Amino acid sequence: METDPVLAFGALAHPHRLAVFRLLMRVYPDQRAAGAIGLALDLRPSTLSAYLAQLRDCGLITQERRGTSLLYAAA
């Protein structure tokens, strides 16, 4: 998936979405579970889900399902 720079910068313009992306960049190429990201950044699951979806939709992060867990990594 090719990243649209306008969408990517728009996604990173919000401080909490930027924090999610920065966390994933710090652990790159490792993945983190959504729950671990939420705990590390003190974000509610529903809020975090929306942030992760926007970052994924613009191509900045990837999502992988492993069992019942969703794992995220910087793209």
Side-chain angles (χ1 to χ4, degrees):
M1 171 190 245
E2 191 171 317
T3 302
D4 179 344
V6 174
L7 293 177
F9 283 124
L12 296 175
H14 188 280
H16 289 130
R17 287 191 301 262
L18 178 60
V20 170
F21 185 69
R22 289 180 68 195
L23 183 147
L24 292 173
M25 285 300 298
R26 281 195 299 273
V27 299
Y28 181 82
D30 294 333
Q31 299 173 317
R32 289 292 179 262
I37 296 168
L39 286 175
L41 299 176
D42 194 30
L43 295 171
R44 292 186 200 158
S46 59
T47 302
L48 177 62
S49 178
Y51 294 160
L52 291 167
Q54 187 167 3
L55 292 168
R56 188 185 69 238
D57 289 346
C58 70
L60 290 173
I61 66 173
T62 62
Q63 177 189 60
E64 177 186 332
R65 179 172 292 279
R66 193 171 299 156
T68 59
S69 296
L70 291 175
L71 301 174
Y72 295 89

